[in-house]
């Protein structure tokens, strides 16, 4: 089974993805971390050709063998990763890596282009939406010492870059189920998504029986 979760920054994709992966016993892959690790490599002056990204089974991410997982979620890396994500050669390499990881696994994968590009045949595609104001508030709960206005402006800047880049702009796949999370708690979103996945699996089973 493949579950794709896409949506803008701070929409709750990671919390939902982790919950779905736990519930259905799937591997959970956060693709944003890969773009962040490449951005970190480039800011350290490593050339793209020399950057090697690997992950372990716990979702820790390595840049040329160094565990950089805890260095990636800073305001600087938020912006740098969204810039790096506009480069076609970076996307090509990371999409190939993501497809290799998904092959042969039951997987929940979250990002911006999972349902449209990486796993276009995913069994379930979910696109999470929330207003920039709500996402800025959530981001402030996750990270200490942020200023609301600055956080909001950074989210708006990142939305603009993620949605207007030439290669794989952020867009819901035509067959994605859109969940607006503004007025919903995380628990409500998780339970709605679990129901959606179960319903989709029932349909897949029913059509497989019909073919037998
Ligand atoms: O999900 P995130 O905030 O960790 O992602 C960081 C940046 O990486 C985001 O601004 C856009 C980019 N990204 C992408 O272009 N495609 C993905 N599948 C995942 C992330």
């Amino acid at each position: 089974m493949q579950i794709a979760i896409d949506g803008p920054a701070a929409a709750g994709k990671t919390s939902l993805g982790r919950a779905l992966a736990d519930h259905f016993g799937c591997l959970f892959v956060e693709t944003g971390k890969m773009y962040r690790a490449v951005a970190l490599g480039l800011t350290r002056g490593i050339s793209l050709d020399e950057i090697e990204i690997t992950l372990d089974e716990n979702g820790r991410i390595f840049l040329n063998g160094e565990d950089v997982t805890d260095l990636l979620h800073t305001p600087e890396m938020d912006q740098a990763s969204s810039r790096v994500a506009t480069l076609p050669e970076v996307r090509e390499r990371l999409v190939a890596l993501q497809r290799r990881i998904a092959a042969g696994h039951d997987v929940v994968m979250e990002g911006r282009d999972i349902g449209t590009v990486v796993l276009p045949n995913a069994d379930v595609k979910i696109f999470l939406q929330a207003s920039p104001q709500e996402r800025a508030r959530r981001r402030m709960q996750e990270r200490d010492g942020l200023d609301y206005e600055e956080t909001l402006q950074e989210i708006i800047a990142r939305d603009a870059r993620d949605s207007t880049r030439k290669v794989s702009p952020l867009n819901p796949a035509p067959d994605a189920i859109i969940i607006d999370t503004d007025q919903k708690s995380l628990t409500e979103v998780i339970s709605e998504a679990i129901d959606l996945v179960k319903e989709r699996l029932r349909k897949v089973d029913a059509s497989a029986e019909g073919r037998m």
Side-chain angles (χ1 to χ4, degrees), residues 1-2 25-27 98-107 119:
M1 171 169 67
Q2 292 182 334
C26 299
L27 181 70
Q98 291 152 13
R99 288 185 180 147
R100 273 202 304 281
I101 294 172
H105 280 112
D106 283 334
V107 73
L119 304 175

Side-chain angles (χ1 to χ4, degrees), residues 100-184:
R100 273 202 304 281
I101 294 172
H105 280 112
D106 283 334
V107 73
V108 175
M109 192 172 274
E110 65 100 340
R112 303 289 189 290
D113 58 345
I114 310 305
T116 48
V117 176
V118 181
L119 304 175
N121 299 319
D123 303 286
V124 183
K125 298 180 185 178
I126 295 171
F127 192 92
L128 285 189
Q129 252 170 5
S131 66
Q133 289 76 8
E134 178 59 27
R135 289 184 282 129
R137 279 190 286 274
R138 290 183 196 159
R139 177 86 343 140
M140 289 184 68
Q141 283 167 4
E142 285 166 15
R143 292 185 195 168
D144 292 335
L146 294 184
D147 173 75
Y148 173 75
E149 263 314 311
E150 243 174 67
T151 308
L152 177 62
Q153 291 314 318
E154 283 181 6
I155 282 185
I156 291 172
R158 205 137 71 94
D159 282 357
R161 213 178 292 120
D162 292 349
S163 314
T164 57
R165 63 171 176 242
K166 290 203 179 68
V167 194
S168 315
L170 173 67
N171 262 323
D175 51 346
I177 299 146
I178 297 177
I179 303 182
D180 195 318
T181 71
D182 258 358
Q183 307 297 330
K184 289 178 187 154

Side-chain angles (χ1 to χ4, degrees), residues 13 31-33 35-36 73 78 81-82 85 91 110-114 158 162 165:
K13 302 184 297 291
T31 60
K33 275 186 187 171
Y35 289 91
R36 288 171 184 271
H73 286 88
D78 290 348
S81 58
S82 111
R91 302 205 69 84
E110 65 100 340
R112 303 289 189 290
D113 58 345
I114 310 305
R158 205 137 71 94
D162 292 349
R165 63 171 176 242

